[in-house]
Amino acid sequence: METGAMLSWTLQQEIPVPPDVHALLAQGEEAITSFKTFRDSATFTTKRLIVRDAQGITGKKVEIYSLPYSSILMWSSENAGTLDWNSEVELWTKAGHIKVKLAKGADVRRIDSLIAWAVLNSH
């Protein structure tokens, strides 16, 4: 069993969907909401989670991750505690294990309900 996360992202506050995300959407797919990440954004759509990751010093090189909800096998969410200020969501997918950390200000229950809605409606 894999112990470390294959990928790890940190979501900050909820933001308007970035305009350039619309070019990434498939026919019939709609953007639901986006969250600021350290260097870019993560967008929940009606079909998948799209994470844009600007790279390099200028941030002009952009890597895009696309995680179809149908590939998520299981997830867990953990709210922040008294001494541990970070919340997190973990996703076990057909491709591997993904850890999503939530910065202060990101609502773990909102993320959890988005994932539940997406996964349970995609299977």
Side-chain angles (χ1 to χ4, degrees), residues 13-25 30-37 39-45 49-53 62 64:
Q13 74 272 7
E14 203 162 347
I15 59 171
V17 175
D20 55 347
V21 168
H22 297 285
L24 303 172
L25 301 178
E30 296 177 37
I32 304 299
T33 190
S34 295
F35 290 83
K36 182 174 177 9
T37 62
R39 297 261 329 239
D40 215 320
S41 66
T43 299
F44 287 85
T45 77
L49 174 61
I50 300 171
V51 178
R52 298 181 75 247
D53 184 19
V62 177
I64 298 173

Side-chain angles (χ1 to χ4, degrees), residues 11-15 17 30-36 42-50 67-70 72 75-77 89 91 100 102 106-123:
L11 301 186
Q12 297 171 359
Q13 74 272 7
E14 203 162 347
I15 59 171
V17 175
E30 296 177 37
I32 304 299
T33 190
S34 295
F35 290 83
K36 182 174 177 9
T43 299
F44 287 85
T45 77
T46 51
K47 302 192 179 290
R48 60 190 161 146
L49 174 61
I50 300 171
L67 177 66
Y69 300 133
S70 60
I72 299 173
W75 74 95
S76 70
S77 62
V89 173
L91 307 171
V100 181
L102 306 176
D107 182 353
V108 69
R109 294 300 161 228
R110 167 99 167 113
I111 305 285
D112 189 55
S113 73
L114 281 167
I115 293 169
W117 166 84
V119 172
L120 298 175
N121 286 307
S122 72
H123 290 285

Side-chain angles (χ1 to χ4, degrees), residues 1-7 97:
M1 180 91 186
E2 184 181 332
T3 55
M6 180 180 87
L7 289 171
H97 181 208

